């Protein structure tokens, strides 16, 4: 067993940390307040190879592997969770297109997604009445001449209003999970429009919108993988995506713990620093331990994926643990700060708002438990 990072992984981690500290962190509070990520930040990520960390170099990616991707996500998540989720979904879309796209789709979208020309990628699976249960989706795609025509609506779509390319799931067969296909859709396709923008509690810099498809026509080679084989593509993509969200939650937790430690050392009460009080020390000890477990579980899942071994359950465990415990870490960090934790100036309230959704998106904690239990009971 080798616990050391290799040179590529170290380089990606350092590049992400440097960019996050220099270019993102100083603007994180403004990104939250203005509910928008400056485009130059997204372009900067792409220029560093962070929009296709695990995408082959032949398609414009960094080809650096899943461990490097996880490390980079943690660094970006530590600075700004909104930026991190935009990056996570773009990486997930780039990987899906690279793995399942026809040659035309791979060449047309993946290099431009990786180099930032498409601004971001977007993953259009969920619907107003199909979130945890995507097998119940209602959007349809029907064959028409030499193409497909998409109709229906999607909801909770990250970067829905500015992504240049979408992976869209729609029903092409009978009911249930075996009648769903996946398509690559250019954002400028007629019949695709952006709907309601969600006004969220956290991750305010990341845009979340509805999408509407009305007679939206795509070429026949926009189909990803097999007809009616789209559900499995979604599941495989989400297995990898959950490593990204586990890494992001870890980064948010690290940011909150750093602030709690610094505040506890600097603030005095009852004649000495807060850090001398055992009640505070225990909070810091629990947080440190929980984040280290999150890191180990997340890197294990990343390693398994990178090695081509089964990793669904391990990714679910990493996401469950990391999101649930990063939430606790952020809550404790706020408690350490007392009243100051409850105001915007100290940023811990932002971390708490941002981390909350990691227990919901890319599969709720309850869905992760289903995946883990099915594996354990099989
Ligand atoms: N990899 C490959 N195939 C898989 C798979 C996996 N991880 N999991 C299931 N499958 C296959 C099954 O083998 C089965 O195949 P067959 O048809 O050949 O039998 C098929 O998929 C159906 O599987 P299930 O019967 O297990 O499906 P289910 O309806 O019971 O659902 C579930 C399983 C795990 C609960 C799944 O519905 C799920 O993950 N739900 C959560 C959805 C989710 O995470 N949504 C997130 C939205 S995207 C997002 O949040 C992105 C963002 O913008 C931030």
């Amino acid at each position: 067993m080798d616990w050391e990072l290799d040179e590529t992984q170290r380089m990606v981690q350092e590049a992400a940390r440097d960019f996050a500290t220099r270019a993102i962190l100083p603007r994180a509070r403004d990104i939250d307040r203005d509910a928008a990520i400056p485009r130059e930040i997204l372009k900067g990520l792409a220029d560093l190879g962070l929009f296709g960390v695990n995408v082959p170099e032949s398609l414009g990616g960094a080809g650096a592997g899943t461990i490097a991707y996880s490390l980079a996500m943690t660094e970006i998540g530590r600075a700004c969770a909104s930026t991190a989720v935009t990056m996570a979904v773009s990486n997930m879309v780039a990987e899906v297109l690279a793995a399942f796209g026809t040659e035309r789709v791979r060449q047309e979208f993946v290099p431009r997604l990786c180099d930032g020309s498409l601004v971001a990628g977007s993953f259009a699976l969920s619907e107003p009445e199909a979130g945890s249960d995507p097998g119940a989706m209602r959007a349809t795609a029907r064959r028409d001449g030499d193409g497909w025509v998409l109709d229906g609506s999607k909801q909770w779509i990250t970067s829905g209003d500015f992504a240049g390319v979408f992976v869209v799931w729609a029903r092409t067969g009978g009911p249930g999970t075996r009648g769903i296909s996946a398509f690559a859709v250019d954002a400028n396709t007629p019949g695709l429009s952006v709907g309601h923008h969600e006004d969220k509690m956290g991750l305010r810099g990341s845009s979340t919108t509805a999408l509407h498809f009305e007679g939206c026509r795509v070429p026949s080679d926009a189909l990803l993988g097999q007809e009616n084989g789209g559900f499995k593509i979604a599941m495989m993509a989400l297995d990898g995506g959950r490593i990204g969200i586990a890494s992001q939650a870890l980064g948010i937790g690290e940011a909150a713990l750093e602030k709690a430690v610094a505040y506890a050392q600097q603030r005095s009460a009852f004649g000495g620093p807060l850090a001398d009080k055992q009640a505070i020390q225990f909070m810091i000890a629990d947080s440190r331990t929980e984040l280290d477990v999150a890191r180990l579980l997340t890197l294990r899942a990343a390693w398994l994926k990178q090695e081509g071994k089964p990793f669904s359950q391990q990714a679910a465990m990493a996401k469950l643990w990391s999101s649930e415990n990063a939430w606790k870490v952020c809550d404790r960090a706020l408690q350490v700060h007392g009243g100051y934790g409850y105001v915007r100036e100290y940023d811990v309230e932002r971390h708490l708002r941002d981390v909350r959704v990691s227990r919901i998106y890319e599969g709720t904690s309850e869905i992760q438990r289903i995946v883990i239990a099915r594996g354990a009971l099989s």
Side-chain angles (χ1 to χ4, degrees):
M1 184 184 267
D2 185 358
W3 294 84
E4 296 295 327
L5 301 180
D6 68 23
E7 202 187 327
T8 303
Q9 291 157 357
R10 252 198 319 273
M11 273 172 53
V12 172
Q13 184 184 43
E14 279 165 19
R17 183 177 299 160
D18 173 63
F19 184 74
T21 310
R22 219 172 11 84
I24 306 178
L25 195 54
R27 301 172 86 172
R29 209 178 290 166
D30 293 347
I31 290 173
D32 178 61
R33 189 199 53 216
D34 302 342
I37 303 168
R39 287 292 156 87
E40 64 269 22
I41 287 185
L42 299 180
K43 181 69 174 107
L45 291 173
D47 288 345
L48 287 172
L50 297 181
F51 266 20
V53 182
N54 189 37
V55 169
E57 286 173 279
S58 57
L59 286 171
T66 312
I67 293 175
Y69 168 62
S70 167
L71 296 167
M73 273 300 298
T74 300
E75 295 301 333
I76 304 301
R78 196 174 184 166
C80 171
S82 295
T83 305
V85 74
T86 310
M87 168 178 151
V89 177
S90 296
N91 274 273
M92 182 159 65
V93 167
E95 286 194 40
V96 169
L97 296 176
F100 298 101
T102 54
E103 200 46 32
R104 196 267 304 166
V105 161
R106 284 155 60 94
Q107 296 301 338
E108 185 173 334
F109 296 115
V110 182
R112 290 193 299 139
L113 184 49
C114 292
D115 74 13
S117 324
L118 291 176
V119 189
S122 197
F123 191 87
L125 177 71
S126 300
E127 297 187 359
E129 291 179 61
S132 287
D133 181 15
M137 73 175 57
R138 292 186 189 164
T140 58
R142 63 181 161 80
R143 277 189 186 280
D144 184 54
D146 59 354
W148 295 89
V149 176
L150 277 65
D151 285 286
S153 292
K154 295 286 167 182
Q155 193 160 329
W156 312 117
I157 309 307
T158 300
S159 314
D161 57 339
F162 63 81
V165 62
F166 295 83
V167 176
V168 181
W169 280 265
R171 189 162 296 289
T172 45
T177 58
R178 292 185 178 175
I180 291 168
S181 300
F183 299 89
V185 181
D186 188 309
N188 295 318
T189 310
L192 165 56
S193 59
V194 177
H196 176 69
H197 285 242
E198 303 298 341
D199 186 8
K200 306 192 298 296
M201 162 186 174
L203 283 189
R204 293 189 60 80
S206 153
S207 85
T208 308
T209 73
L211 293 177
H212 302 298
F213 298 85
E214 283 174 85
C216 177
R217 189 180 177 82
V218 294
S220 60
D221 65 359
L223 179 70
L224 304 175
Q226 301 294 315
E227 183 174 344
N228 294 326
F231 189 81
K232 286 184 191 176
I233 295 177
M235 292 298 107
M236 285 189 257
L238 285 168
D239 284 343
R242 289 165 186 165
I243 296 174
I245 299 306
S247 312
Q248 178 209 25
L250 170 61
I252 303 170
E254 290 287 1
L257 179 56
E258 274 164 32
K259 292 186 176 85
V261 167
Y263 187 80
Q265 286 170 331
Q266 155 259 301
R267 171 70 194 246
S268 277
F270 301 105
L274 285 184
D276 286 355
K277 318 284 184 273
Q278 205 173 48
I280 303 294
Q281 290 174 1
F282 282 10
M283 287 193 215
I284 288 170
D286 286 348
S287 296
R288 186 62 272 151
T289 307
E290 287 158 5
L291 292 181
D292 272 23
V293 177
R295 187 177 298 271
L296 291 170
L297 285 174
T298 303
L299 289 176
R300 176 183 68 165
W303 178 81
L304 288 168
K305 181 177 178 220
Q306 187 164 303
E307 292 293 305
K309 296 177 193 284
F311 69 97
S312 300
Q313 282 174 63
Q314 289 80 2
M317 286 184 225
K319 201 244 182 208
L320 174 65
W321 180 273
S322 189
S323 59
E324 291 289 337
N325 287 283
W327 159 255
K328 287 190 211 159
V329 169
C330 291
D331 187 48
R332 282 191 207 108
L334 197 151
Q335 193 71 11
V336 168
H337 282 76
Y340 293 104
Y342 203 62
V343 296
R344 292 195 192 275
E345 196 184 333
Y346 283 75
D347 288 329
V348 281
E349 62 82 35
R350 169 166 60 86
H351 298 317
L352 187 73
R353 285 186 288 109
D354 285 349
V355 82
R356 184 62 180 82
V357 75
S358 58
R359 296 168 59 199
I360 299 172
Y361 65 12
E362 299 217 11
T364 60
S365 290
E366 292 69 30
I367 290 292
Q368 307 312 317
R369 290 186 176 96
I370 289 174
V371 173
I372 297 162
R374 281 184 182 177
L377 293 167
S378 65

